[in-house]
Amino acid sequence: MPPRPPDSTDLLRPLASLGRHLPAGFVSAHLVAALEFARHMQWLQPPPQLDGRSFGISIEDLGLRCCFSCRQGRFRPQWHASNTQSMDLEIGARLADFASLARGTMDADTLFFQRRLKISGDTDLGLIVKNWLDATERPAWLSGA
């Protein structure tokens, strides 16, 4: 019997074990830099309801967790958050599912009901974030248009 070709899970497994050992602040700084870039480019303007709230985003297949907050319309990394500290809203999915959300090729409801997007914490805040992201127009280069 010939060996099976590796799938994406096999390829990401070594990265996931490394990702679990990276401090949340280090990982968070990179995501926040991307969010701040999108905000400066006017692609992603946080609504006032996000002010003072904290967020945790877990990229499950990479073993990464990003923790950040929104203060005065700006995204800020949570430098001292641990990998277990809870945030107001926690969102988790695989990297490919987050990419599909960002491109607009998949919606959060579909991923949630397929159990590919996990949400916990403040459900009202989760709905605000979902509606905000759904209403945000994506740049042409991101959506492939």
Side-chain angles (χ1 to χ4, degrees), residues 88-112:
D88 293 326
L89 181 65
E90 297 275 348
I91 301 172
R94 293 181 5 233
L95 180 61
D97 293 326
F98 279 124
S100 295
L101 283 171
R103 286 191 313 268
T105 57
M106 187 69 74
D107 65 272
D109 290 331
T110 301
L111 290 174
F112 179 78

Side-chain angles (χ1 to χ4, degrees), residues 42-89:
Q42 303 292 313
W43 296 331
L44 195 62
Q45 297 300 312
Q49 298 95 321
L50 271 58
D51 196 57
R53 306 306 295 268
S54 62
F55 304 88
I57 296 180
S58 296
I59 304 171
E60 296 167 350
D61 51 345
L62 296 182
L64 299 174
R65 181 168 185 248
C66 307
C67 299
F68 62 97
S69 61
C70 186
R71 302 236 184 264
Q72 298 175 339
R74 295 181 176 187
F75 300 103
R76 298 289 177 237
Q78 298 281 58
W79 292 107
H80 302 292
S82 72
N83 282 331
T84 58
Q85 181 179 349
S86 78
M87 301 285 126
D88 293 326
L89 181 65

